[in-house]
Amino acid sequence: MTDVFGDLVGQDEAVAALRRAAASAAALLRAPVPAPAGGPDDLDALAEEHDGDPGPAPADPGAGMTHAWIFTGPPGSGRSVAARAFAAALECVHGTGCGSCPGCHTTLTGTHADVRLVVPEGLSIGVNEMRALVLRAASAPSGGRWQIVIIEDADRLTEAAGNALLKAIEEPPPRTVFLLCAPSTHPDDISVTIRSRCRVVPLRQPPPAAVAEVLVRRDGIAPDVAEWAAAAAQGHVGRARRLARDPEARQRRDAVLAVPRRLTGVGAAFDAASALIEAAEAEAAASVAEIDEAERTALQTALGAGGTGRGAAGAMRGAAGQLKDLEKRQKSRATRAQRDALDRALVDLAGFYRDALIMALRAPVAPVHTDTASLAGAGAQKWDAEGSLRRLEAVLECRAAIEANVKPRIAVEAMMLALWRG
Ligand SMILES: [Zn+2]
């Protein structure tokens, strides 16, 4: 029952498609197509013949499988979970993603020799990283099945890195599979040329009931807590689990949802903006502190402390360069963590004004934040549907502005003023 796809919540269609692909991939390995014109790597032609055809014909082992995939969906819908599960199914020695064989197990724990996972830590994935990856992915799979490259947040590829990847996708080595994860297939997220070479697996935002069910079943969380957390997390599975388990995450959310009450004047609006930014900074700093320190210690150990002999001066210059590189990487990661923390806060805040809006409209929809529903109800009376909508839009505009590289403090201050004025 709990095979590798068990953790994909509320994604029945995507799971069915991935199971079919894994089965045809396994069939391909068992009975390679007797090399036609394109040779054994002509997965593309095989796949294209069957595009739009949901069921693989049993006679054709290539149907349903192709070498480049894009998993799309809103944050938290499980893009990377889906990509990893599919990778495990491809490496499964039984070809089904059983979840218990060495192929499945090592893929899911990140130790399979033929599966590489790229998780960008900074704001973008650079060209050097991508070239090195593409090169390694071209080698024959050591386990005899597939070489797999999973790229999380493929929307954060630099243009040059995207081009390096495109070359590999255009002329794929016979046993190499690329699994990309991105919010959407919009050209802002994925270049049109890469998109045209990939099969898309759209994931949807899982319904709160499905998220609650998995929290209860897998994490042993009490049903009432699971239901509240699933609704509050708005379909984000990881976020729901954190809210259910981590008191600090709950406190941060409480502080964000206190914002609407605190906006009593211009001064209060600026104070609220500062508080929100500083909370995001503190949360981000805490989340990267441990790994930053571990990296620094490891590098210092590797470089060796001190040294006075000949050549020590040159070695020190090299060491200084490496330390500088490390600091640059860490700074980039910290920026990313801050933006992610701030974005989570903005999503919570948007949920509040969305609740006010549905109440003003008397829409028969469950509130996102059950614990602040009465406050949202009071807002709905005061602001009416129009005022609630304007406030919701102010929060969404702030998210868009930060995404477009407006300085977070400036965007948040503008939002708070708009929320206060209405
Ligand atoms: Zn397996």
Side-chain angles (χ1 to χ4, degrees):
M1 165 63 210
T2 49
D3 67 1
V4 294
F5 296 108
D7 278 353
L8 269 169
V9 184
Q11 309 291 354
D12 298 350
E13 266 174 60
V15 168
L18 294 173
R19 281 189 202 284
R20 278 197 302 272
S24 45
L28 254 169
L29 292 182
R30 277 197 304 272
V33 189
D41 61 339
D42 211 8
L43 275 175
D44 249 347
L46 287 168
E48 267 158 30
E49 282 170 29
H50 287 264
D51 249 353
D53 175 2
D60 185 348
M65 183 55 190
T66 187
H67 58 77
W69 300 73
I70 303 180
F71 296 81
T72 64
S77 57
R79 299 181 301 232
S80 65
V81 176
R84 276 174 232 225
F86 185 43
L90 292 177
E91 302 291 10
C92 175
V93 298
H94 309 298
T96 56
C98 67
S100 47
C101 75
C104 286
H105 187 72
T106 52
T107 304
L108 292 178
T109 53
T111 54
H112 196 293
D114 297 330
V115 180
R116 257 164 296 282
L117 177 67
V118 185
V119 186
E121 292 181 331
L123 291 173
S124 63
I125 304 174
V127 65
N128 290 335
E129 194 180 349
M130 184 53 66
R131 283 204 186 115
L133 251 167
V134 164
L135 207 64
R136 286 185 63 186
S139 58
S142 63
R145 299 188 68 85
W146 305 94
Q147 278 280 6
I148 302 175
V149 179
I150 303 174
I151 304 177
E152 283 192 11
D153 299 317
D155 53 309
R156 287 176 167 135
L157 291 171
T158 61
E159 198 186 336
N163 287 338
L165 175 64
L166 177 63
K167 250 181 240 161
I169 292 181
E170 276 175 341
E171 289 165 35
R175 292 286 188 84
T176 303
V177 181
F178 291 92
L179 307 178
L180 317 185
C181 308
S184 76
T185 53
H186 189 279
D188 282 352
D189 288 338
I190 284 287
S191 79
V192 176
T193 40
I194 290 183
R195 156 74 189 86
S196 70
R197 296 275 171 177
C198 294
R199 183 166 303 173
V200 179
V201 181
L203 301 173
R204 54 198 192 103
Q205 184 166 305
V211 176
E213 191 270 326
V214 83
L215 293 186
V216 172
R217 173 170 55 78
R218 189 184 50 192
D219 303 317
I221 289 162
D224 55 332
V225 177
E227 251 168 63
W228 162 80
Q234 305 180 54
H236 192 306
V237 184
R239 170 90 175 133
R241 189 179 309 127
R242 255 193 314 279
L243 281 177
R245 286 181 147 179
D246 178 1
E248 281 181 29
R250 280 201 293 275
Q251 273 168 17
R252 283 193 291 268
R253 172 180 169 278
D254 289 346
V256 169
L257 292 178
V259 163
R261 251 180 316 201
R262 291 178 50 190
L263 297 173
T264 51
V266 177
F270 279 102
D271 287 348
S274 284
L276 199 66
I277 298 276
E278 279 151 25
E281 283 171 359
E283 184 187 343
S287 76
V288 299
E290 210 170 304
I291 179 141
D292 277 5
E293 183 53 35
E295 283 174 353
R296 235 183 336 260
T297 310
L299 181 58
Q300 273 158 359
T301 309
L303 295 172
T308 52
R310 277 157 63 90
M316 282 307 292
R317 276 198 297 279
Q322 287 189 50
L323 268 171
K324 218 174 185 162
D325 279 351
L326 177 65
E327 275 166 19
K328 209 171 120 192
R329 269 206 314 281
Q330 292 186 339
K331 193 156 178 267
S332 169
R333 180 167 59 207
T335 305
R336 166 90 186 275
Q338 273 173 29
R339 290 209 191 172
D340 289 348
L342 185 56
D343 197 58
R344 273 194 294 280
L346 292 173
V347 169
D348 282 345
L349 202 54
F352 175 85
Y353 291 107
R354 174 259 189 209
D355 286 349
L357 177 63
I358 60 161
M359 287 180 201
L361 293 172
R362 300 186 198 289
V365 189
V368 167
H369 301 298
T370 45
D371 45 353
T372 54
S374 60
L375 196 63
Q381 281 199 332
K382 199 167 140 194
W383 306 322
D384 222 345
E386 227 176 284
S388 304
L389 179 61
R390 272 200 306 278
R391 287 171 173 84
L392 173 57
E393 280 173 347
V395 181
L396 300 180
E397 272 164 27
C398 178
R399 287 185 77 197
I402 292 170
E403 183 65 27
N405 274 327
V406 172
K407 230 173 158 235
R409 183 173 288 273
I410 292 174
V412 171
E413 282 173 356
M415 173 191 79
M416 291 295 185
L417 286 173
L419 292 179
W420 167 61
R421 288 202 197 98

